[in-house]
Amino acid sequence: MLFIKPEELKRGMRLARPVYNNKGVLLYDINTKLTRQGLEGIRNFGLLGVYVLEPAEPAPVLTEEDIEFERFQAVAVYKLKEEISGMISGDGIKDIQKLSEDIIRRFGREKAKINFLKSIRSPEDYAYKHSLNTAILCAIMTVNMHLSYMEQVNVVTAALIHEVGMAMIPEKILKKSPNLTEEESYIISKCEIEGNELIQHDYNIPSITRIIVAQNFKEISGKTEEERKLLDGTKVLMVADVFDTLTAMNINGEPYSDVVAVKYLLSEPDKYDSRAVGALLKGINVLNPGVCIELNNGEKGLVIRENEKNILEPVVLSFKQNKVYDLSDENKNKKISIHDVMKTMDERVPVDREVFNELMSHVENGDIKE
């Protein structure tokens, strides 16, 4: 799967992700082969880019849950846009808490991990889609941290409104980023400040929600835990905010993989709360069975067993050596680690579920040696 900018798309490329309109109606399905008309349609959407399949790459199978997740994102982002537009225009928020409760009802309940699918974004809707996805992550994380329902509502609402300032930035500047003049950089900073002030002065927003937003933007580098005095909701928002920023389509560049984002979060324990990071990893699939990876020794392989204790140390099967590595075994594999997921999938070996289960039974019976 590759991230391709609109101007680099070509006829015959196949979509790796479906595209929906604001009503949740499917416009282009997964595995759709782009025609000239399709290219023009996607370019007219003003998207930052789309994910496409490589020539030899099979289309991933989306579950009903995955499809419903994508459809919910497509519809909910426009509800959020109406709410934030109301804040900016002075009309105020109306149903933001209702949207928060809907997100919590869908994602803030204890259940199995989900495939967190990144939304396709344009400069115009980046702030809204980023805020929505951050809110969904917050809902997933808060249940795993066992926060109360009201704490869930406060942090999810904070996530939905925390980028009001970005939504105030003129469209022409957003499209121009990152090649900005000094004046344009000043306008962005001014919008961010005004957005935060708008949130703090809107007393229809609960005070705890406003505190979480304010703390999320506060500089905490070099400060002790006592000096920070961050709410649990703030710790959740900080992790969700940076994870979505790193892994989603970016105004300034290509997205990072979930693995790289997780490594970054774990490398900054003084900034990102370990409980919050753990709650994130407990709720979304990152290195689950079937994911193709690159090891630091140059080998490519397949994750065949997840490691709940340390997500970055699963059991993997090397394609080259036909050998199983248990990356949690320091005695055998202390120098081997996961570098990243495979960027190009043409070397991937498609394995159906029956073959995969048979392979796992051989590993468990000791027929394939580590």
Side-chain angles (χ1 to χ4, degrees), residues 247-261:
T247 60
M249 291 184 183
N250 198 300
I251 291 174
N252 297 324
E254 294 187 14
Y256 291 99
S257 71
D258 288 1
V259 170
V260 171

Side-chain angles (χ1 to χ4, degrees), residues 142-186:
T142 51
V143 68
N144 289 326
M145 287 182 68
H146 307 293
L147 301 189
S148 70
Y149 181 73
M150 283 313 301
E151 285 177 304
Q152 284 185 294
V153 172
N154 279 317
V155 69
V156 171
T157 304
L160 288 173
I161 64 175
H162 81 288
E163 286 290 10
V164 169
M166 180 179 284
M168 297 168 68
I169 299 171
E171 187 178 305
K172 63 179 182 180
I173 294 180
L174 282 175
K175 288 183 175 180
K176 186 178 178 182
S177 180
N179 302 312
L180 301 173
T181 64
E182 187 174 332
E183 181 182 359
E184 289 166 338
S185 296
Y186 169 77

Side-chain angles (χ1 to χ4, degrees), residues 157-344:
T157 304
L160 288 173
I161 64 175
H162 81 288
E163 286 290 10
V164 169
M166 180 179 284
M168 297 168 68
I169 299 171
E171 187 178 305
K172 63 179 182 180
I173 294 180
L174 282 175
K175 288 183 175 180
K176 186 178 178 182
S177 180
N179 302 312
L180 301 173
T181 64
E182 187 174 332
E183 181 182 359
E184 289 166 338
S185 296
Y186 169 77
I187 291 173
I188 290 178
S189 298
K190 187 171 180 286
C191 288
E192 290 173 345
I193 292 170
E194 289 178 353
N196 290 335
E197 289 177 347
L198 193 61
I199 293 169
Q200 299 309 316
H201 294 154
D202 189 336
Y203 296 108
N204 290 322
I205 301 171
S207 59
I208 296 298
T209 298
R210 286 184 273 125
I211 290 171
I212 291 172
V213 174
Q215 288 186 340
N216 182 61
F217 288 107
K218 195 161 83 175
E219 179 56 51
I220 63 172
S221 298
K223 293 185 179 181
T224 65
E225 185 69 28
E226 180 61 26
E227 289 172 328
R228 298 178 199 172
K229 294 182 179 177
L230 299 179
L231 298 175
D232 282 343
T234 306
K235 296 173 183 177
V236 168
L237 178 55
M238 290 176 66
V239 170
D241 191 2
V242 74
F243 182 81
D244 184 74
T245 299
L246 291 174
T247 60
M249 291 184 183
N250 198 300
I251 291 174
N252 297 324
E254 294 187 14
Y256 291 99
S257 71
D258 288 1
V259 170
V260 171
V262 168
K263 285 182 177 181
Y264 171 71
L265 289 168
L266 293 173
S267 71
E268 297 282 351
D270 292 337
K271 188 171 183 180
Y272 302 109
D273 182 72
S274 59
R275 279 183 64 219
V277 176
L280 172 69
L281 298 180
K282 191 176 178 181
I284 65 172
N285 288 313
V286 177
L287 284 171
N288 51 303
V291 173
C292 295
I293 50 86
E294 295 178 359
L295 297 171
N296 63 341
N297 63 2
E299 293 183 43
K300 295 177 174 63
L302 179 77
V303 175
I304 58 176
R305 185 186 299 152
E306 191 173 13
N307 183 351
E308 291 290 346
K309 293 183 178 179
N310 187 334
I311 197 72
L312 297 176
E313 296 181 348
V315 177
V316 302
L317 173 68
S318 167
F319 295 150
K320 183 178 181 180
Q321 303 290 341
N322 194 30
K323 180 180 180 181
V324 172
Y325 295 114
D326 181 352
L327 301 184
S328 66
D329 189 337
E330 294 183 1
N331 295 324
K332 290 185 178 180
N333 304 309
K334 61 182 179 181
K335 293 183 179 180
I336 302 175
S337 63
I338 290 179
H339 172 64
D340 202 349
V341 296
M342 284 176 61
K343 288 292 191 299
T344 175

Side-chain angles (χ1 to χ4, degrees), residues 79-97 161 164 198-199 201-205:
K79 293 181 181 178
L80 176 59
K81 186 174 183 179
E82 289 178 1
E83 292 293 321
I84 291 180
S85 296
M87 288 182 65
I88 295 171
S89 67
D91 293 335
I93 58 173
K94 296 176 181 178
D95 296 320
I96 196 75
Q97 186 162 323
I161 64 175
V164 169
L198 193 61
I199 293 169
H201 294 154
D202 189 336
Y203 296 108
N204 290 322
I205 301 171

Side-chain angles (χ1 to χ4, degrees), residues 46-100:
L47 302 176
L48 297 172
V50 295
Y51 293 100
V52 302
L53 298 166
E54 294 184 86
E57 183 179 1
V61 177
L62 294 183
T63 66
E64 285 298 320
E65 187 179 41
D66 293 337
I67 294 170
E68 179 54 32
F69 180 40
E70 294 241 18
R71 187 178 292 114
F72 174 77
Q73 286 177 311
V75 175
V77 74
Y78 285 91
K79 293 181 181 178
L80 176 59
K81 186 174 183 179
E82 289 178 1
E83 292 293 321
I84 291 180
S85 296
M87 288 182 65
I88 295 171
S89 67
D91 293 335
I93 58 173
K94 296 176 181 178
D95 296 320
I96 196 75
Q97 186 162 323
K98 183 179 177 182
L99 179 56
S100 298

